[in-house]
Amino acid sequence: MEAEGTTNKEVDLQALNTIRFLAADAVQTANSGHPGLPMGLASVAYSLFTRHMRFNPKDPAWPNRDRFILSAGHGSMLLYAMLHLSGYALPLKELKDFRQWGSKTPGHPEWGLTPGVEMTTGPLGQGFASGVGMAIAFERAAAEFNRDEFRLFDHYIYAIVSDGDLMEGVASEAASLAGHLKLGRLIYLYDDNRISIDGSTEITFTEDRAKRFEAYGWHVSHVDDANDLEALDKAIAAARKEARPSLIVVRSHIGFGLPTKENTAAAHGEPPGEEELAGAKEKLGWPQDPWFFVPEEVRDHFEQSGAAGVAAYQEWQALYRRYKEEFAEQGHQLERRWAGELPEAWEEALPDFEPNSKGMATRASSGQVINALAGVLPELFGGSADLTGSNKTDIKGEDSFSPDARGNRYIHYGVREHAMGAIMNGIALYRGFIPYGGTFLVFSDYMRGSMRLAALMKQQVIYVLTHDSIGLGEDGPTHQPVEHLAALRAIPNLTVIRPAEANEVSMAWKSALDQKSGPTVLALSRQSLPTYDRNAFMPAQGALQGAYILRDAANGEPQAILMASGSEVDACVHAADILSNKGIEVRIVSFPSWELFEAQTQAYRDSVLPPEVKARVAIEAGVSQGWRRWVGDEGVVIAINHFGESAPYQELYKQFGLTPEALVAAVEAVIKE
Amino acid sequence: MEAEGTTNKEVDLQALNTIRFLAADAVQTANSGHPGLPMGLASVAYSLFTRHMRFNPKDPAWPNRDRFILSAGHGSMLLYAMLHLSGYALPLKELKDFRQWGSKTPGHPEWGLTPGVEMTTGPLGQGFASGVGMAIAFERAAAEFNRDEFRLFDHYIYAIVSDGDLMEGVASEAASLAGHLKLGRLIYLYDDNRISIDGSTEITFTEDRAKRFEAYGWHVSHVDDANDLEALDKAIAAARKEARPSLIVVRSHIGFGLPTKENTAAAHGEPPGEEELAGAKEKLGWPQDPWFFVPEEVRDHFEQSGAAGVAAYQEWQALYRRYKEEFAEQGHQLERRWAGELPEAWEEALPDFEPNSKGMATRASSGQVINALAGVLPELFGGSADLTGSNKTDIKGEDSFSPDARGNRYIHYGVREHAMGAIMNGIALYRGFIPYGGTFLVFSDYMRGSMRLAALMKQQVIYVLTHDSIGLGEDGPTHQPVEHLAALRAIPNLTVIRPAEANEVSMAWKSALDQKSGPTVLALSRQSLPTYDRNAFMPAQGALQGAYILRDAANGEPQAILMASGSEVDACVHAADILSNKGIEVRIVSFPSWELFEAQTQAYRDSVLPPEVKARVAIEAGVSQGWRRWVGDEGVVIAINHFGESAPYQELYKQFGLTPEALVAAVEAVIKE
């Protein structure tokens, strides 16, 4: 084959086969993986990467690049093939090491590991929904930073989405919101291959997908043959002109080219087998050897087609230099925010709450902190899943982000917790923003899929989870979290903070804002909690260490340690007073965050929880799971290992034995032993 | 007011006001709750309960009753008012004690607490989706038991659903499946009040709902004024004739009658205030006193309208008596299954697996158990969220439940985990069936909202969660659960069982089938695990106790205890052999279930984990959270407190230090101390 003699159409076909067989060869080599999607949709990725998307493989973080999300992450080899061919730092050797220890080509795409991978996908629906977050972030970035001819933000968010994505509720929620918000920069190509793992989509997925998306307010178009590059180009070009989000329904054939497995579920998630692979190569006119074959003309062609992106990149850099001259402040802000840095002395905006024995709910002090920070941190991008007044997440004087007001910084997510979680991931991945979103702690269950991904992707997302225990009272067990603190603490790289009162709330927000490589949960009370007089108690800054001595034994030699998080700290204070009257001196440890405490030195941890003090009592209005670690064999955990009830919360605390009196009795018992 | 002088229309109006003000008075009295929905939708509930639904308040468990689900559970007072007026065992005193400790009128409806409440609702979307499960159960019950003129199962499933329900992904998933399955017995009345907590639905929910449901394959109709009883009646009557599920869009006014709060978010979730309440009574011509007023003619009217249901009930009982004569076997089976009893000697069908050093994956032995039991337990109703082949949940020779085959017992849920969880709840609540459903353990995150409700409602639902650790290998961290065992163990009343090999799998299924008052998770491996020779190891029946001595120290005096769940048990066996060669004798405890072990006597627990043996090492391929409780201060936990990686699983076990060698080293270290 000669490059000169190759027409465009020929090189297109060669390129498609290159992609298909890079994927199939990798899956067969790994003896594990998903050949069906890459073989069926090579054309879609090829069209996007060579004819529509603008990017520079040497600078995958370019803020104005087009984004591409492979929401159907199991087709990872399609993405790896495209990144390799497009010139990203992903050599062929990595493709040959697909799914092996230490490679950059894991089973599903992972953000932060492979250059050019925009997000970690695999759990279906997540990529779809996080793309909506990127489109929201795009709109606000454009509204904030673009100036007349300086269109710094002017790009698209593309995704390949599958039947599985469209079936997942998180995608439905996000699609409804995307339609409402008229996010015209979203262009999703739907792999309509009519096959799911269990067989034909006829067995379970017969809804009219196009009509559903029209109902959401999307622009829907059709490409009847995935391999018709012209039709794809036209559809994508038309979608780019749309003011609404676009769904392009692409009729495709899973495992295209496989002699016996094409159009069957068998093509989805297992190696084709050597014979089937050889048959496909024969059928599509591809050399049997070498495996991982990339013809020179295909390499040349990718290089040529990538030139437009590189040129656009250089043009943008020049524009950006002029922008920074003309709009110095915005330029600095853009650089600061895209670098993930907070402004100097931002902490000075953190409120200092006056002592108050009546105090306020920690959700209320959180609301005050948000509003105090809003002015100095334009990157804060808030919202709530239809519980704004309860979560206290609103920014006073700020209207909602809407189709007519792209610069606003508050998102009404609707009753769509899972989409909120995924959209916040997309906003965080976009960079330049710190998303926070509110719901009740109990409904963290609805968005765990997205919270886990935030943790895995090391993204800064802040969850404002109020009504954090039976302390919410009358709404009853459906709304009272009991297992949720434990369940969230179990997620690696997620920091859970449950502050005891207003000044600890300030510190909790400081911690969340400083945590640039993972998400943070703020668990906040519905009920009022006293704000401590820090002349009588140790400084709230201790909360930054996760646990600290709130008040020590009068003589500095505690007979026992009382420890608690959040609203139960005050029960410890009362118990300590009672015990002191009885001549028993105890230390009170406020313990808002296990994760922050674990990150401290052993010396610090031993200074708070001295190994020699075995008489320890912990109290928390939730399940006891995990507390044994902190109280030791001889300690006592006062907790609720059952669901709550509907009643005024004071009654519940009494009925469930979460009282100063119970703490006193427990301390007396452990001291005796 | 005289009953004789009251026309039907007048009594209708009186009844509507009775319902509205029972609700508003209760909310105001509790100073907590949601008046908006009951006041706006009194007419819908009234139409259903007095003109369409057939039930007998004296026998709320009548299998052929019409079901009513208040999916928008925050409007609980609407349901309590209807149940009270309809003659259920819910005296007025209970309404006056709304949301108080010990009352039968909690903040959100709770199944099992209040007669006539068909399911616990409050978390939005769940009622919507579980109704789909009830409709599926109805269809299969009808197919199994109805005979010619014996239409034992012939009823409807009604629900009131809200904007919030329609926004939730779980409802979208369930609606898509309901349309696919053509569940014509579903009739949902959508409270189109155009108000959500954050304000007008215009701010976030502008999709074309009717069109969306048409796209799902639903029949959609409209009632322009919720208070137009005739229009409601017509719409409901039309829906009953439909072969598709019906959504009746009812334009309503939240807080109808409240002088200043009607049609505002302020009517949603807080007491109206005494003045506003008095104003509403004045506006609607209702006496200011007494509160909780029920006119005699309204009581009479409810009694009369309830007569049709009671007559239908008696007719059914007669029919059922004749049925049992004519179809004795079916009659016995129906009684047995609706009583929640398993057939005699069913356990004999449990397979006994031969020792095999290669063994099989526990998902594979689970598949064999399912198939062995399918013949003796017709109530088993299986399915998978599009992972049938991976979860091994299929019943050989059984086709899928479909519009044309209602008697089949396998459901292709599609990639809709959350709907699967909620639908299984509905199937379990219907009675007569034991639902089980499969997905990967990691995707339990997607259905936690429903799993929690199963636990709270004490329903027998069995989750077949395969690919239970990094042992799934190449698919990588998005698919590898690490925190999930801990997160599930945290849920009260959910039993988590992670069997070590085939015969423990048999016992795990036995345990799950015997557990009639709560759900069970079976956590199962993708990878093969040896089947132990029980001549050399203790009997697998020990697994029923949650933890048991798998093999004791040769001399019966263990120097240390090794404990593990699931796939890590075999590492303990290998470690024990190595240690024995070194002259260190240890006990191996197989620990498939914390919850089952906790339910044992202290004596049994001490016999397995003798308090005097402090040298303990636990190993599990997941986070360590909670294991400290079992190993004590001096023990060691070998675990993974971080996300996994993509690579062959043997490599991962080695890289992450989950090896017999690591166990040996840990034992040697703890013994030295």
Side-chain angles (χ1 to χ4, degrees), chain A residues 99 169 173 176 198 204 207 386 388 412 452 475 483, chain B residues 99 169 173 176 198 204 207 386 388 412 417 452 475 483:
Chain A
R99 292 180 159 235
E173 294 176 13
S176 174
D198 275 8
T204 191
E207 61 169 56
D386 198 40
T388 296
H412 289 287
R452 178 173 214 259
D475 272 345
E483 72 274 30
Chain B
R99 292 181 160 235
E173 294 175 15
S176 174
D198 275 10
T204 192
E207 61 169 57
D386 198 40
T388 296
H412 289 286
E417 297 83 5
R452 179 174 213 260
D475 271 345
E483 72 273 31

PDB file of all heavy atoms in Angstrom, chain A residues 99 169 173 176 198 204 207 386 388 412 452 475 483, chain B residues 99 169 173 176 198 204 207 386 388 412 417 452 475 483:
ATOM      1  N   ARG A  99      -5.362  -3.828  30.161  1.00  0.00           N
ATOM      2  CA  ARG A  99      -5.895  -4.520  31.346  1.00  0.00           C
ATOM      3  C   ARG A  99      -4.822  -5.233  32.185  1.00  0.00           C
ATOM      4  O   ARG A  99      -5.164  -6.138  32.955  1.00  0.00           O
ATOM      5  CB  ARG A  99      -6.977  -5.531  30.935  1.00  0.00           C
ATOM      6  CG  ARG A  99      -8.248  -4.872  30.392  1.00  0.00           C
ATOM      7  CD  ARG A  99      -9.326  -5.851  29.979  1.00  0.00           C
ATOM      8  NE  ARG A  99     -10.621  -5.147  29.970  1.00  0.00           N
ATOM      9  CZ  ARG A  99     -11.695  -5.534  30.641  1.00  0.00           C
ATOM     10  NH1 ARG A  99     -11.652  -6.629  31.356  1.00  0.00           N
ATOM     11  NH2 ARG A  99     -12.811  -4.827  30.619  1.00  0.00           N
ATOM     12  N   GLY A 169     -31.439   5.416  35.412  1.00  0.00           N
ATOM     13  CA  GLY A 169     -32.177   6.566  35.913  1.00  0.00           C
ATOM     14  C   GLY A 169     -31.361   7.836  35.987  1.00  0.00           C
ATOM     15  O   GLY A 169     -31.878   8.934  35.739  1.00  0.00           O
ATOM     16  N   GLU A 173     -32.566  11.507  34.604  1.00  0.00           N
ATOM     17  CA  GLU A 173     -32.622  12.736  35.399  1.00  0.00           C
ATOM     18  C   GLU A 173     -31.807  13.846  34.736  1.00  0.00           C
ATOM     19  O   GLU A 173     -32.259  14.989  34.600  1.00  0.00           O
ATOM     20  CB  GLU A 173     -32.066  12.479  36.804  1.00  0.00           C
ATOM     21  CG  GLU A 173     -32.888  11.534  37.660  1.00  0.00           C
ATOM     22  CD  GLU A 173     -32.235  11.231  39.007  1.00  0.00           C
ATOM     23  OE1 GLU A 173     -31.275  11.927  39.395  1.00  0.00           O
ATOM     24  OE2 GLU A 173     -32.684  10.290  39.672  1.00  0.00           O
ATOM     25  N   SER A 176     -33.329  15.232  31.483  1.00  0.00           N
ATOM     26  CA  SER A 176     -34.445  16.151  31.724  1.00  0.00           C
ATOM     27  C   SER A 176     -33.917  17.540  32.074  1.00  0.00           C
ATOM     28  O   SER A 176     -34.406  18.554  31.569  1.00  0.00           O
ATOM     29  CB  SER A 176     -35.322  15.597  32.851  1.00  0.00           C
ATOM     30  OG  SER A 176     -36.324  16.519  33.203  1.00  0.00           O
ATOM     31  N   ASP A 198     -28.092  -9.265  28.080  1.00  0.00           N
ATOM     32  CA  ASP A 198     -29.045 -10.378  28.163  1.00  0.00           C
ATOM     33  C   ASP A 198     -29.647 -10.754  26.814  1.00  0.00           C
ATOM     34  O   ASP A 198     -30.426 -11.702  26.732  1.00  0.00           O
ATOM     35  CB  ASP A 198     -30.167 -10.046  29.154  1.00  0.00           C
ATOM     36  CG  ASP A 198     -29.763 -10.402  30.595  1.00  0.00           C
ATOM     37  OD1 ASP A 198     -28.589 -10.745  30.819  1.00  0.00           O
ATOM     38  OD2 ASP A 198     -30.628 -10.343  31.483  1.00  0.00           O
ATOM     39  N   THR A 204     -36.466  -6.050  26.777  1.00  0.00           N
ATOM     40  CA  THR A 204     -36.716  -5.177  27.935  1.00  0.00           C
ATOM     41  C   THR A 204     -36.716  -3.690  27.640  1.00  0.00           C
ATOM     42  O   THR A 204     -37.103  -2.898  28.479  1.00  0.00           O
ATOM     43  CB  THR A 204     -35.691  -5.471  29.061  1.00  0.00           C
ATOM     44  OG1 THR A 204     -36.097  -4.805  30.253  1.00  0.00           O
ATOM     45  CG2 THR A 204     -34.290  -4.992  28.686  1.00  0.00           C
ATOM     46  N   GLU A 207     -39.109   1.115  24.604  1.00  0.00           N
ATOM     47  CA  GLU A 207     -39.634   2.476  24.599  1.00  0.00           C
ATOM     48  C   GLU A 207     -39.180   3.208  23.333  1.00  0.00           C
ATOM     49  O   GLU A 207     -38.187   2.831  22.700  1.00  0.00           O
ATOM     50  CB  GLU A 207     -39.158   3.232  25.839  1.00  0.00           C
ATOM     51  CG  GLU A 207     -37.634   3.344  25.899  1.00  0.00           C
ATOM     52  CD  GLU A 207     -37.136   4.318  26.962  1.00  0.00           C
ATOM     53  OE1 GLU A 207     -37.506   4.131  28.123  1.00  0.00           O
ATOM     54  OE2 GLU A 207     -36.378   5.239  26.599  1.00  0.00           O
ATOM     55  N   ASP A 386     -33.733  20.235  45.151  1.00  0.00           N
ATOM     56  CA  ASP A 386     -35.058  20.722  45.549  1.00  0.00           C
ATOM     57  C   ASP A 386     -35.244  20.793  47.065  1.00  0.00           C
ATOM     58  O   ASP A 386     -36.349  20.564  47.566  1.00  0.00           O
ATOM     59  CB  ASP A 386     -36.163  19.860  44.921  1.00  0.00           C
ATOM     60  CG  ASP A 386     -37.514  20.586  44.945  1.00  0.00           C
ATOM     61  OD1 ASP A 386     -37.545  21.805  44.703  1.00  0.00           O
ATOM     62  OD2 ASP A 386     -38.531  19.934  45.215  1.00  0.00           O
ATOM     63  N   THR A 388     -33.527  23.541  48.847  1.00  0.00           N
ATOM     64  CA  THR A 388     -32.712  24.721  49.113  1.00  0.00           C
ATOM     65  C   THR A 388     -32.959  25.303  50.501  1.00  0.00           C
ATOM     66  O   THR A 388     -32.022  25.551  51.265  1.00  0.00           O
ATOM     67  CB  THR A 388     -32.994  25.791  48.029  1.00  0.00           C
ATOM     68  OG1 THR A 388     -32.560  25.270  46.768  1.00  0.00           O
ATOM     69  CG2 THR A 388     -32.270  27.086  48.329  1.00  0.00           C
ATOM     70  N   HIS A 412     -30.834  24.777  40.403  1.00  0.00           N
ATOM     71  CA  HIS A 412     -31.984  24.030  40.909  1.00  0.00           C
ATOM     72  C   HIS A 412     -31.975  22.667  40.228  1.00  0.00           C
ATOM     73  O   HIS A 412     -32.421  22.521  39.103  1.00  0.00           O
ATOM     74  CB  HIS A 412     -33.278  24.788  40.634  1.00  0.00           C
ATOM     75  CG  HIS A 412     -33.414  26.014  41.475  1.00  0.00           C
ATOM     76  ND1 HIS A 412     -33.687  25.957  42.823  1.00  0.00           N
ATOM     77  CD2 HIS A 412     -33.281  27.318  41.178  1.00  0.00           C
ATOM     78  CE1 HIS A 412     -33.736  27.180  43.315  1.00  0.00           C
ATOM     79  NE2 HIS A 412     -33.477  28.029  42.353  1.00  0.00           N
ATOM     80  N   ARG A 452     -19.066   7.832  44.682  1.00  0.00           N
ATOM     81  CA  ARG A 452     -17.942   6.907  44.582  1.00  0.00           C
ATOM     82  C   ARG A 452     -17.004   7.326  43.451  1.00  0.00           C
ATOM     83  O   ARG A 452     -15.781   7.306  43.599  1.00  0.00           O
ATOM     84  CB  ARG A 452     -18.468   5.499  44.324  1.00  0.00           C
ATOM     85  CG  ARG A 452     -17.371   4.475  44.152  1.00  0.00           C
ATOM     86  CD  ARG A 452     -17.903   3.063  44.060  1.00  0.00           C
ATOM     87  NE  ARG A 452     -16.938   2.146  44.678  1.00  0.00           N
ATOM     88  CZ  ARG A 452     -16.078   1.402  43.993  1.00  0.00           C
ATOM     89  NH1 ARG A 452     -16.050   1.446  42.683  1.00  0.00           N
ATOM     90  NH2 ARG A 452     -15.222   0.600  44.622  1.00  0.00           N
ATOM     91  N   ASP A 475     -40.225  13.564  60.687  1.00  0.00           N
ATOM     92  CA  ASP A 475     -40.317  12.970  59.355  1.00  0.00           C
ATOM     93  C   ASP A 475     -40.117  11.455  59.380  1.00  0.00           C
ATOM     94  O   ASP A 475     -40.471  10.765  58.426  1.00  0.00           O
ATOM     95  CB  ASP A 475     -39.331  13.641  58.378  1.00  0.00           C
ATOM     96  CG  ASP A 475     -39.962  14.859  57.696  1.00  0.00           C
ATOM     97  OD1 ASP A 475     -41.203  15.005  57.747  1.00  0.00           O
ATOM     98  OD2 ASP A 475     -39.220  15.664  57.117  1.00  0.00           O
ATOM     99  N   GLU A 483     -27.476   4.580  59.167  1.00  0.00           N
ATOM    100  CA  GLU A 483     -26.309   3.852  58.659  1.00  0.00           C
ATOM    101  C   GLU A 483     -25.433   4.701  57.745  1.00  0.00           C
ATOM    102  O   GLU A 483     -24.374   4.244  57.310  1.00  0.00           O
ATOM    103  CB  GLU A 483     -26.764   2.605  57.885  1.00  0.00           C
ATOM    104  CG  GLU A 483     -27.418   2.866  56.525  1.00  0.00           C
ATOM    105  CD  GLU A 483     -28.918   3.133  56.574  1.00  0.00           C
ATOM    106  OE1 GLU A 483     -29.376   3.681  57.601  1.00  0.00           O
ATOM    107  OE2 GLU A 483     -29.615   2.805  55.605  1.00  0.00           O
TER     108      GLU A 483
ATOM    109  N   ARG B  99     -47.588  12.034  63.962  1.00  0.00           N
ATOM    110  CA  ARG B  99     -46.152  12.294  64.115  1.00  0.00           C
ATOM    111  C   ARG B  99     -45.666  12.266  65.559  1.00  0.00           C
ATOM    112  O   ARG B  99     -44.620  12.848  65.860  1.00  0.00           O
ATOM    113  CB  ARG B  99     -45.780  13.661  63.485  1.00  0.00           C
ATOM    114  CG  ARG B  99     -45.909  13.674  61.974  1.00  0.00           C
ATOM    115  CD  ARG B  99     -45.536  14.989  61.349  1.00  0.00           C
ATOM    116  NE  ARG B  99     -45.224  14.767  59.922  1.00  0.00           N
ATOM    117  CZ  ARG B  99     -44.101  15.112  59.324  1.00  0.00           C
ATOM    118  NH1 ARG B  99     -43.161  15.724  59.999  1.00  0.00           N
ATOM    119  NH2 ARG B  99     -43.903  14.859  58.057  1.00  0.00           N
ATOM    120  N   GLY B 169     -34.912   9.226  38.991  1.00  0.00           N
ATOM    121  CA  GLY B 169     -34.484   8.228  38.024  1.00  0.00           C
ATOM    122  C   GLY B 169     -35.113   6.867  38.227  1.00  0.00           C
ATOM    123  O   GLY B 169     -35.421   6.170  37.259  1.00  0.00           O
ATOM    124  N   GLU B 173     -36.846   4.597  35.280  1.00  0.00           N
ATOM    125  CA  GLU B 173     -36.482   3.217  34.948  1.00  0.00           C
ATOM    126  C   GLU B 173     -37.705   2.301  35.013  1.00  0.00           C
ATOM    127  O   GLU B 173     -37.957   1.492  34.114  1.00  0.00           O
ATOM    128  CB  GLU B 173     -35.419   2.703  35.927  1.00  0.00           C
ATOM    129  CG  GLU B 173     -34.071   3.395  35.835  1.00  0.00           C
ATOM    130  CD  GLU B 173     -33.081   2.924  36.905  1.00  0.00           C
ATOM    131  OE1 GLU B 173     -33.333   1.872  37.537  1.00  0.00           O
ATOM    132  OE2 GLU B 173     -32.067   3.602  37.109  1.00  0.00           O
ATOM    133  N   SER B 176     -40.282   2.874  32.218  1.00  0.00           N
ATOM    134  CA  SER B 176     -39.870   2.296  30.940  1.00  0.00           C
ATOM    135  C   SER B 176     -40.176   0.798  30.916  1.00  0.00           C
ATOM    136  O   SER B 176     -40.711   0.267  29.938  1.00  0.00           O
ATOM    137  CB  SER B 176     -38.377   2.555  30.720  1.00  0.00           C
ATOM    138  OG  SER B 176     -37.911   1.886  29.567  1.00  0.00           O
ATOM    139  N   ASP B 198     -38.518  24.039  45.933  1.00  0.00           N
ATOM    140  CA  ASP B 198     -37.751  25.238  45.589  1.00  0.00           C
ATOM    141  C   ASP B 198     -38.575  26.291  44.849  1.00  0.00           C
ATOM    142  O   ASP B 198     -38.068  27.375  44.549  1.00  0.00           O
ATOM    143  CB  ASP B 198     -36.520  24.855  44.750  1.00  0.00           C
ATOM    144  CG  ASP B 198     -35.340  24.451  45.645  1.00  0.00           C
ATOM    145  OD1 ASP B 198     -35.548  24.301  46.860  1.00  0.00           O
ATOM    146  OD2 ASP B 198     -34.227  24.285  45.125  1.00  0.00           O
ATOM    147  N   THR B 204     -37.108  24.140  36.968  1.00  0.00           N
ATOM    148  CA  THR B 204     -36.248  22.972  36.718  1.00  0.00           C
ATOM    149  C   THR B 204     -36.927  21.808  36.015  1.00  0.00           C
ATOM    150  O   THR B 204     -36.254  20.878  35.576  1.00  0.00           O
ATOM    151  CB  THR B 204     -35.620  22.470  38.039  1.00  0.00           C
ATOM    152  OG1 THR B 204     -34.590  21.528  37.748  1.00  0.00           O
ATOM    153  CG2 THR B 204     -36.673  21.814  38.937  1.00  0.00           C
ATOM    154  N   GLU B 207     -39.928  19.561  31.123  1.00  0.00           N
ATOM    155  CA  GLU B 207     -40.096  18.543  30.091  1.00  0.00           C
ATOM    156  C   GLU B 207     -41.590  18.295  29.843  1.00  0.00           C
ATOM    157  O   GLU B 207     -42.440  18.610  30.677  1.00  0.00           O
ATOM    158  CB  GLU B 207     -39.425  17.240  30.538  1.00  0.00           C
ATOM    159  CG  GLU B 207     -40.031  16.693  31.822  1.00  0.00           C
ATOM    160  CD  GLU B 207     -39.581  15.279  32.154  1.00  0.00           C
ATOM    161  OE1 GLU B 207     -38.367  15.077  32.254  1.00  0.00           O
ATOM    162  OE2 GLU B 207     -40.443  14.402  32.324  1.00  0.00           O
ATOM    163  N   ASP B 386     -29.661  -7.006  33.592  1.00  0.00           N
ATOM    164  CA  ASP B 386     -28.913  -7.215  32.357  1.00  0.00           C
ATOM    165  C   ASP B 386     -27.546  -7.852  32.576  1.00  0.00           C
ATOM    166  O   ASP B 386     -26.594  -7.561  31.848  1.00  0.00           O
ATOM    167  CB  ASP B 386     -28.750  -5.899  31.574  1.00  0.00           C
ATOM    168  CG  ASP B 386     -28.373  -6.150  30.103  1.00  0.00           C
ATOM    169  OD1 ASP B 386     -28.926  -7.081  29.504  1.00  0.00           O
ATOM    170  OD2 ASP B 386     -27.525  -5.415  29.574  1.00  0.00           O
ATOM    171  N   THR B 388     -27.487 -11.441  33.427  1.00  0.00           N
ATOM    172  CA  THR B 388     -27.920 -12.811  33.706  1.00  0.00           C
ATOM    173  C   THR B 388     -26.770 -13.812  33.648  1.00  0.00           C
ATOM    174  O   THR B 388     -26.576 -14.599  34.569  1.00  0.00           O
ATOM    175  CB  THR B 388     -29.038 -13.212  32.730  1.00  0.00           C
ATOM    176  OG1 THR B 388     -30.164 -12.363  32.981  1.00  0.00           O
ATOM    177  CG2 THR B 388     -29.446 -14.660  32.916  1.00  0.00           C
ATOM    178  N   HIS B 412     -36.261  -9.780  32.906  1.00  0.00           N
ATOM    179  CA  HIS B 412     -35.128  -9.028  32.370  1.00  0.00           C
ATOM    180  C   HIS B 412     -35.335  -7.576  32.755  1.00  0.00           C
ATOM    181  O   HIS B 412     -36.077  -6.851  32.100  1.00  0.00           O
ATOM    182  CB  HIS B 412     -35.044  -9.207  30.854  1.00  0.00           C
ATOM    183  CG  HIS B 412     -34.608 -10.583  30.461  1.00  0.00           C
ATOM    184  ND1 HIS B 412     -33.311 -11.013  30.603  1.00  0.00           N
ATOM    185  CD2 HIS B 412     -35.286 -11.635  29.974  1.00  0.00           C
ATOM    186  CE1 HIS B 412     -33.210 -12.270  30.207  1.00  0.00           C
ATOM    187  NE2 HIS B 412     -34.394 -12.677  29.829  1.00  0.00           N
ATOM    188  N   GLU B 417     -30.865  -0.983  37.778  1.00  0.00           N
ATOM    189  CA  GLU B 417     -30.674  -1.589  39.091  1.00  0.00           C
ATOM    190  C   GLU B 417     -31.643  -1.025  40.123  1.00  0.00           C
ATOM    191  O   GLU B 417     -32.193  -1.759  40.947  1.00  0.00           O
ATOM    192  CB  GLU B 417     -29.232  -1.376  39.581  1.00  0.00           C
ATOM    193  CG  GLU B 417     -28.157  -2.026  38.709  1.00  0.00           C
ATOM    194  CD  GLU B 417     -27.770  -1.178  37.506  1.00  0.00           C
ATOM    195  OE1 GLU B 417     -28.264  -0.033  37.384  1.00  0.00           O
ATOM    196  OE2 GLU B 417     -26.978  -1.658  36.679  1.00  0.00           O
ATOM    197  N   ARG B 452     -32.626  -0.183  51.304  1.00  0.00           N
ATOM    198  CA  ARG B 452     -32.923   0.350  52.635  1.00  0.00           C
ATOM    199  C   ARG B 452     -34.410   0.177  52.948  1.00  0.00           C
ATOM    200  O   ARG B 452     -34.782  -0.197  54.056  1.00  0.00           O
ATOM    201  CB  ARG B 452     -32.544   1.832  52.688  1.00  0.00           C
ATOM    202  CG  ARG B 452     -32.838   2.467  54.014  1.00  0.00           C
ATOM    203  CD  ARG B 452     -32.333   3.904  54.104  1.00  0.00           C
ATOM    204  NE  ARG B 452     -31.933   4.178  55.467  1.00  0.00           N
ATOM    205  CZ  ARG B 452     -32.682   4.845  56.352  1.00  0.00           C
ATOM    206  NH1 ARG B 452     -33.860   5.299  56.013  1.00  0.00           N
ATOM    207  NH2 ARG B 452     -32.247   5.037  57.581  1.00  0.00           N
ATOM    208  N   ASP B 475     -11.665  -5.832  35.018  1.00  0.00           N
ATOM    209  CA  ASP B 475     -12.619  -4.735  34.810  1.00  0.00           C
ATOM    210  C   ASP B 475     -12.256  -3.495  35.629  1.00  0.00           C
ATOM    211  O   ASP B 475     -12.746  -2.402  35.350  1.00  0.00           O
ATOM    212  CB  ASP B 475     -14.056  -5.192  35.113  1.00  0.00           C
ATOM    213  CG  ASP B 475     -14.738  -5.785  33.882  1.00  0.00           C
ATOM    214  OD1 ASP B 475     -14.221  -5.582  32.760  1.00  0.00           O
ATOM    215  OD2 ASP B 475     -15.769  -6.446  34.040  1.00  0.00           O
ATOM    216  N   GLU B 483     -15.703  -0.990  49.376  1.00  0.00           N
ATOM    217  CA  GLU B 483     -16.416  -0.485  50.544  1.00  0.00           C
ATOM    218  C   GLU B 483     -17.811  -1.090  50.698  1.00  0.00           C
ATOM    219  O   GLU B 483     -18.498  -0.808  51.680  1.00  0.00           O
ATOM    220  CB  GLU B 483     -16.546   1.042  50.450  1.00  0.00           C
ATOM    221  CG  GLU B 483     -17.538   1.566  49.404  1.00  0.00           C
ATOM    222  CD  GLU B 483     -16.957   1.738  48.007  1.00  0.00           C
ATOM    223  OE1 GLU B 483     -16.046   0.968  47.652  1.00  0.00           O
ATOM    224  OE2 GLU B 483     -17.428   2.623  47.270  1.00  0.00           O
TER     225      GLU B 483
END
